[in-house]
Amino acid sequence: MYRTALRHVRAHKGRLLMTMLAVLLGTAFVAGTLIFSDSIGQSAKDSVSNSYSRISVQVTDTAVNTDPDSGTGNPPGARSPLTESTVRRIAALPGTRSARGTVTGFAGLSDPHGDLIGSRGNTQGANWVPSADGQDPQYPMTQGTGPTSAGMIAIDRRTASDNDFKVGDTVRAAVNGPVLEMTVTGIFTTDDPRVRAGGSLVLFDTATAQRLYLEPGRYDSIQVVAKPGTSQNELRGDILPVVPHSGNITVKTGARLDADTAAQSRSSMSGMRNVLLAFAGIALFVGVFLIANTFTMLIAQRTRELALLRAIGASRRQITDSVLLEALLVGAGASVAGLVTGIGIGAALQGLMGSMGSHVSTSTPLVSPTTVLVTLLTGTTVTALAALPPALRASRVAPVAAMRGNDTPATHKSLVVRNSIGVALAGTGLALVLWGAVRGGSAGNLLVAGGAVSTLVGAFVLTPALSRPSIALAGPLCTWLFGISGTLARQNAVRNPRRTAATASALTVGITLISALTVLGASVTHAIDRQVTQNMRADYAVSALLSLPVAPTLLPAIARTPGVAAYSAMDDQRLRTGGKDLSVTGVDAKSFDQLIVPNMVSGSTTALRRGQILVDQDHVVNDGWSVGSTVPVTYPDGDSGRLTVGGVYQNSEVLGSVLMSRSVLSPHTTAPFYSTVLVKGVTGATASLQQALKDSTGDNPLINVRTKQQMRDHFSSQISLLLDAMYALLAMAVLIAVLGVVNTLALAVLERKREIGMLRAVGLSRSAVRRMVRLESVLIASFGAALGIAIGSFLAWAGVRLLSSTMTGLTTVFPYEQLAAYVAGAALVGLLAALWPARRAARLNVLDSIRTD
């Protein structure tokens, strides 16, 4: 029996090609994801380890430098307890070889075209700390010297090389305020991981860096190097008593910094890896339909052979093992090829990151034993499980079946049982989805998720029953347009409901997810678009890139711009009330009504001028606030106070949850954080006013000046970017589904070889045969797409209902033209998938086909 299995694999390698290709693509996706994430993680780990190799202990003020790798840097004017006195006390310790105070923050450079270098937020500025010999060992100079006064700057070698910066050049640097014109005095080398990741690093003299990022004489961290013979832990113990006692001060050894950063790297990569593996799982799930369909058809074509084996003494177990062995051989071979292909995919992804400016991923692809084992086990296991049901059906072939034809349709009883199970699963799933959508909250999320799975499985089980009436609807149109070819295509499409179901279901999976994402994206885009339109009277929004605040020094320039009728900076702050954070936005109460139009539920916007606050409906529901309620708060500077609710407005993603007058808020903040400055023009939005606002902000590469339409486009583009990434990942599943259509039709042509020969013998032309096969493919693909759109749209509706509690004005929007385009696209895919099988069917020799045994 095992020799028989090997012979069948060799004999049917052409028929198994599409199955192997489906497994190959799925396993290559898995292997490529694991190799890519492992390689990037190892590169990042090596890079970070190098960056701390010279540091024994680092003292950090986390209040002003919460995330040095985030690219946001310190808030302007931030006050740190780490001073020059602290550096001197640490330097005087017996175990200290050297101690240097450091200041870091965001510093964006303009390239020769005026665009921001390193737009991902890893563009940094730091201070140059020369030792007695005039050199900073942290940043060795390859050309020129380090900066020694304001107006001087040094640039890392990679950034200088990429942008053709040379010593003596004048460059434009944006920190947070106006653009700085700086002279390049030196070019240095660095192993900073942010530079290796594609960012840039510039050095200021210490006094300039402190003025830009903190206050004169203050540092955000102190880097200490131990003397020979002093361990990192010993030095850390000596440092602890001499640093300021504050909950924001951390003292870590270099080894601990390496470990912490490596853990952060693994954590950041795990999210990306899990997402990619999830889509790889979807691709493999779609491949299951192809594998099961292929083995089902191959076994149906070998009914007589299997029956004869049973007749001469082969047991059911032997038949099952023989088919499973075939599947294992196919899965193992495809998995090995998938692993090799995955290495190429991993290397390609690293190359893609390199082309986007990242230099972290330049190492050789890392192929771990775990990756090899997971890839091989995944491919072989999926193939074997998909082939198990056909293998069990093959073992039940009775010896008497050797006297019958090959095409043995499913019994009425088996379809009744299948349909009953499908109705139960789909009905349960629909009920759970509806219940979860109505209930909402975390419990509703679980109900909808469970119901979605049950609905999908139930739909797959019911697909044979659904295919007959659905495809029959297209019967008259096919006959009217294509005559006998259309009639035969419709009959062939519903002849074997199981086969049609398996072929269509593979496409249904991908279209379900794509259509659900499309409806969700259209609904969210519509809601945000409506909020921008309804809640904004301002003509322009001035904001900074990378979530940076607009510098306070820019406000007078904006106010003096010719053509500005009113403006207001939006100051985002966090207060404390009832033991939890309260996000508030400070606005100019005098110009508020000219710029913003909240949808008021109760109270009035004039309450802002009386020093009262406006809150959204979430605070009414969750906190029980209403007009007249008094809220005790603690301000950022530590002062306490009480605020009175003067109005309630509908929730808005644009406005935030609490609005208050900046005249009340500003005296109690440590530093403003102007996320946006809204501007109203005297004559509305004009191109001249937009250009004037850009000029007034110093033509800063960090500053955006957007019209209302551009704001809407900005929100839409972010959603579109996310959707495009999801569509690209789902393309693999759709490709495998297309391979399933090709494989099914190719095997169906072989199975119906005699029938096609008879049709040719009675006068059906070759073109009519090609048309028949193509139409059959189009009908199956269109049915699968239509079913996927129906399920996806329903699940998207439930998702919108769940999200509506967190996003005001969110309603389900069905982009009918786009959904119809998916059906048309599926039909086109079906047509293209049938080209080769249709050509093969038309070229069959009539006499050879008729005498096929």
Side-chain angles (χ1 to χ4, degrees), residues 216-227:
R218 298 185 181 275
Y219 301 98
D220 56 34
S221 66
I222 300 173
Q223 297 174 348
V224 189
V225 178
K227 287 181 178 179

mmCIF file with all atom_site columns, all heavy atoms in Angstrom, residues 216-227:
data_model
loop_
_atom_site.group_PDB
_atom_site.id
_atom_site.type_symbol
_atom_site.label_atom_id
_atom_site.label_alt_id
_atom_site.label_comp_id
_atom_site.label_asym_id
_atom_site.label_entity_id
_atom_site.label_seq_id
_atom_site.pdbx_PDB_ins_code
_atom_site.Cartn_x
_atom_site.Cartn_y
_atom_site.Cartn_z
_atom_site.occupancy
_atom_site.B_iso_or_equiv
_atom_site.pdbx_formal_charge
_atom_site.auth_seq_id
_atom_site.auth_comp_id
_atom_site.auth_asym_id
_atom_site.auth_atom_id
_atom_site.pdbx_PDB_model_num
ATOM 1  N N   . PRO A 1 216 ? 18.926 75.815 31.435 1.00 0.00 ? 216 PRO A N   1
ATOM 2  C CA  . PRO A 1 216 ? 20.385 75.899 31.613 1.00 0.00 ? 216 PRO A CA  1
ATOM 3  C C   . PRO A 1 216 ? 20.841 75.148 32.864 1.00 0.00 ? 216 PRO A C   1
ATOM 4  O O   . PRO A 1 216 ? 20.241 75.263 33.939 1.00 0.00 ? 216 PRO A O   1
ATOM 5  C CB  . PRO A 1 216 ? 20.640 77.405 31.733 1.00 0.00 ? 216 PRO A CB  1
ATOM 6  C CG  . PRO A 1 216 ? 19.513 78.027 30.947 1.00 0.00 ? 216 PRO A CG  1
ATOM 7  C CD  . PRO A 1 216 ? 18.330 77.146 31.200 1.00 0.00 ? 216 PRO A CD  1
ATOM 8  N N   . GLY A 1 217 ? 21.901 74.351 32.700 1.00 0.00 ? 217 GLY A N   1
ATOM 9  C CA  . GLY A 1 217 ? 22.491 73.647 33.823 1.00 0.00 ? 217 GLY A CA  1
ATOM 10 C C   . GLY A 1 217 ? 21.821 72.336 34.187 1.00 0.00 ? 217 GLY A C   1
ATOM 11 O O   . GLY A 1 217 ? 22.197 71.723 35.191 1.00 0.00 ? 217 GLY A O   1
ATOM 12 N N   . ARG A 1 218 ? 20.856 71.871 33.398 1.00 0.00 ? 218 ARG A N   1
ATOM 13 C CA  . ARG A 1 218 ? 20.124 70.653 33.741 1.00 0.00 ? 218 ARG A CA  1
ATOM 14 C C   . ARG A 1 218 ? 20.299 69.588 32.654 1.00 0.00 ? 218 ARG A C   1
ATOM 15 O O   . ARG A 1 218 ? 20.488 69.901 31.474 1.00 0.00 ? 218 ARG A O   1
ATOM 16 C CB  . ARG A 1 218 ? 18.648 70.950 33.974 1.00 0.00 ? 218 ARG A CB  1
ATOM 17 C CG  . ARG A 1 218 ? 18.430 71.905 35.153 1.00 0.00 ? 218 ARG A CG  1
ATOM 18 C CD  . ARG A 1 218 ? 16.960 72.101 35.470 1.00 0.00 ? 218 ARG A CD  1
ATOM 19 N NE  . ARG A 1 218 ? 16.806 73.035 36.577 1.00 0.00 ? 218 ARG A NE  1
ATOM 20 C CZ  . ARG A 1 218 ? 16.872 72.680 37.863 1.00 0.00 ? 218 ARG A CZ  1
ATOM 21 N NH1 . ARG A 1 218 ? 17.047 71.414 38.203 1.00 0.00 ? 218 ARG A NH1 1
ATOM 22 N NH2 . ARG A 1 218 ? 16.742 73.592 38.819 1.00 0.00 ? 218 ARG A NH2 1
ATOM 23 N N   . TYR A 1 219 ? 20.203 68.314 33.102 1.00 0.00 ? 219 TYR A N   1
ATOM 24 C CA  . TYR A 1 219 ? 20.390 67.169 32.205 1.00 0.00 ? 219 TYR A CA  1
ATOM 25 C C   . TYR A 1 219 ? 19.213 66.212 32.370 1.00 0.00 ? 219 TYR A C   1
ATOM 26 O O   . TYR A 1 219 ? 18.579 66.167 33.426 1.00 0.00 ? 219 TYR A O   1
ATOM 27 C CB  . TYR A 1 219 ? 21.692 66.430 32.522 1.00 0.00 ? 219 TYR A CB  1
ATOM 28 C CG  . TYR A 1 219 ? 22.926 67.287 32.404 1.00 0.00 ? 219 TYR A CG  1
ATOM 29 C CD1 . TYR A 1 219 ? 23.495 67.873 33.541 1.00 0.00 ? 219 TYR A CD1 1
ATOM 30 C CD2 . TYR A 1 219 ? 23.527 67.504 31.180 1.00 0.00 ? 219 TYR A CD2 1
ATOM 31 C CE1 . TYR A 1 219 ? 24.629 68.666 33.451 1.00 0.00 ? 219 TYR A CE1 1
ATOM 32 C CE2 . TYR A 1 219 ? 24.667 68.296 31.077 1.00 0.00 ? 219 TYR A CE2 1
ATOM 33 C CZ  . TYR A 1 219 ? 25.213 68.871 32.215 1.00 0.00 ? 219 TYR A CZ  1
ATOM 34 O OH  . TYR A 1 219 ? 26.329 69.651 32.124 1.00 0.00 ? 219 TYR A OH  1
ATOM 35 N N   . ASP A 1 220 ? 18.960 65.411 31.321 1.00 0.00 ? 220 ASP A N   1
ATOM 36 C CA  . ASP A 1 220 ? 17.918 64.378 31.462 1.00 0.00 ? 220 ASP A CA  1
ATOM 37 C C   . ASP A 1 220 ? 18.511 63.030 31.839 1.00 0.00 ? 220 ASP A C   1
ATOM 38 O O   . ASP A 1 220 ? 17.810 62.128 32.280 1.00 0.00 ? 220 ASP A O   1
ATOM 39 C CB  . ASP A 1 220 ? 17.064 64.255 30.201 1.00 0.00 ? 220 ASP A CB  1
ATOM 40 C CG  . ASP A 1 220 ? 17.866 63.983 28.946 1.00 0.00 ? 220 ASP A CG  1
ATOM 41 O OD1 . ASP A 1 220 ? 18.883 63.290 29.035 1.00 0.00 ? 220 ASP A OD1 1
ATOM 42 O OD2 . ASP A 1 220 ? 17.453 64.469 27.873 1.00 0.00 ? 220 ASP A OD2 1
ATOM 43 N N   . SER A 1 221 ? 19.839 62.852 31.669 1.00 0.00 ? 221 SER A N   1
ATOM 44 C CA  . SER A 1 221 ? 20.481 61.614 32.117 1.00 0.00 ? 221 SER A CA  1
ATOM 45 C C   . SER A 1 221 ? 21.961 61.871 32.337 1.00 0.00 ? 221 SER A C   1
ATOM 46 O O   . SER A 1 221 ? 22.527 62.863 31.844 1.00 0.00 ? 221 SER A O   1
ATOM 47 C CB  . SER A 1 221 ? 20.288 60.482 31.088 1.00 0.00 ? 221 SER A CB  1
ATOM 48 O OG  . SER A 1 221 ? 20.955 60.777 29.887 1.00 0.00 ? 221 SER A OG  1
ATOM 49 N N   . ILE A 1 222 ? 22.578 60.976 33.087 1.00 0.00 ? 222 ILE A N   1
ATOM 50 C CA  . ILE A 1 222 ? 24.022 61.044 33.357 1.00 0.00 ? 222 ILE A CA  1
ATOM 51 C C   . ILE A 1 222 ? 24.591 59.659 33.071 1.00 0.00 ? 222 ILE A C   1
ATOM 52 O O   . ILE A 1 222 ? 24.135 58.653 33.648 1.00 0.00 ? 222 ILE A O   1
ATOM 53 C CB  . ILE A 1 222 ? 24.318 61.454 34.807 1.00 0.00 ? 222 ILE A CB  1
ATOM 54 C CG1 . ILE A 1 222 ? 23.713 62.835 35.100 1.00 0.00 ? 222 ILE A CG1 1
ATOM 55 C CG2 . ILE A 1 222 ? 25.823 61.470 35.063 1.00 0.00 ? 222 ILE A CG2 1
ATOM 56 C CD1 . ILE A 1 222 ? 23.814 63.232 36.563 1.00 0.00 ? 222 ILE A CD1 1
ATOM 57 N N   . GLN A 1 223 ? 25.584 59.601 32.187 1.00 0.00 ? 223 GLN A N   1
ATOM 58 C CA  . GLN A 1 223 ? 26.216 58.335 31.821 1.00 0.00 ? 223 GLN A CA  1
ATOM 59 C C   . GLN A 1 223 ? 27.553 58.226 32.550 1.00 0.00 ? 223 GLN A C   1
ATOM 60 O O   . GLN A 1 223 ? 28.384 59.142 32.481 1.00 0.00 ? 223 GLN A O   1
ATOM 61 C CB  . GLN A 1 223 ? 26.418 58.251 30.314 1.00 0.00 ? 223 GLN A CB  1
ATOM 62 C CG  . GLN A 1 223 ? 25.098 58.269 29.538 1.00 0.00 ? 223 GLN A CG  1
ATOM 63 C CD  . GLN A 1 223 ? 25.289 58.329 28.039 1.00 0.00 ? 223 GLN A CD  1
ATOM 64 O OE1 . GLN A 1 223 ? 26.395 58.580 27.562 1.00 0.00 ? 223 GLN A OE1 1
ATOM 65 N NE2 . GLN A 1 223 ? 24.225 58.109 27.291 1.00 0.00 ? 223 GLN A NE2 1
ATOM 66 N N   . VAL A 1 224 ? 27.749 57.090 33.225 1.00 0.00 ? 224 VAL A N   1
ATOM 67 C CA  . VAL A 1 224 ? 28.913 56.918 34.091 1.00 0.00 ? 224 VAL A CA  1
ATOM 68 C C   . VAL A 1 224 ? 29.708 55.700 33.627 1.00 0.00 ? 224 VAL A C   1
ATOM 69 O O   . VAL A 1 224 ? 29.121 54.651 33.313 1.00 0.00 ? 224 VAL A O   1
ATOM 70 C CB  . VAL A 1 224 ? 28.489 56.739 35.568 1.00 0.00 ? 224 VAL A CB  1
ATOM 71 C CG1 . VAL A 1 224 ? 29.709 56.786 36.476 1.00 0.00 ? 224 VAL A CG1 1
ATOM 72 C CG2 . VAL A 1 224 ? 27.461 57.785 35.967 1.00 0.00 ? 224 VAL A CG2 1
ATOM 73 N N   . VAL A 1 225 ? 31.040 55.850 33.603 1.00 0.00 ? 225 VAL A N   1
ATOM 74 C CA  . VAL A 1 225 ? 31.943 54.744 33.262 1.00 0.00 ? 225 VAL A CA  1
ATOM 75 C C   . VAL A 1 225 ? 32.760 54.406 34.511 1.00 0.00 ? 225 VAL A C   1
ATOM 76 O O   . VAL A 1 225 ? 33.307 55.313 35.170 1.00 0.00 ? 225 VAL A O   1
ATOM 77 C CB  . VAL A 1 225 ? 32.882 55.117 32.101 1.00 0.00 ? 225 VAL A CB  1
ATOM 78 C CG1 . VAL A 1 225 ? 33.843 53.965 31.788 1.00 0.00 ? 225 VAL A CG1 1
ATOM 79 C CG2 . VAL A 1 225 ? 32.067 55.486 30.866 1.00 0.00 ? 225 VAL A CG2 1
ATOM 80 N N   . ALA A 1 226 ? 32.817 53.113 34.831 1.00 0.00 ? 226 ALA A N   1
ATOM 81 C CA  . ALA A 1 226 ? 33.517 52.682 36.042 1.00 0.00 ? 226 ALA A CA  1
ATOM 82 C C   . ALA A 1 226 ? 35.016 52.549 35.806 1.00 0.00 ? 226 ALA A C   1
ATOM 83 O O   . ALA A 1 226 ? 35.470 52.305 34.683 1.00 0.00 ? 226 ALA A O   1
ATOM 84 C CB  . ALA A 1 226 ? 32.954 51.350 36.518 1.00 0.00 ? 226 ALA A CB  1
ATOM 85 N N   . LYS A 1 227 ? 35.793 52.699 36.884 1.00 0.00 ? 227 LYS A N   1
ATOM 86 C CA  . LYS A 1 227 ? 37.226 52.453 36.824 1.00 0.00 ? 227 LYS A CA  1
ATOM 87 C C   . LYS A 1 227 ? 37.481 50.946 36.739 1.00 0.00 ? 227 LYS A C   1
ATOM 88 O O   . LYS A 1 227 ? 36.646 50.148 37.162 1.00 0.00 ? 227 LYS A O   1
ATOM 89 C CB  . LYS A 1 227 ? 37.910 53.011 38.082 1.00 0.00 ? 227 LYS A CB  1
ATOM 90 C CG  . LYS A 1 227 ? 38.005 54.526 38.138 1.00 0.00 ? 227 LYS A CG  1
ATOM 91 C CD  . LYS A 1 227 ? 38.720 54.967 39.395 1.00 0.00 ? 227 LYS A CD  1
ATOM 92 C CE  . LYS A 1 227 ? 38.857 56.491 39.437 1.00 0.00 ? 227 LYS A CE  1
ATOM 93 N NZ  . LYS A 1 227 ? 39.537 56.953 40.678 1.00 0.00 ? 227 LYS A NZ  1
#
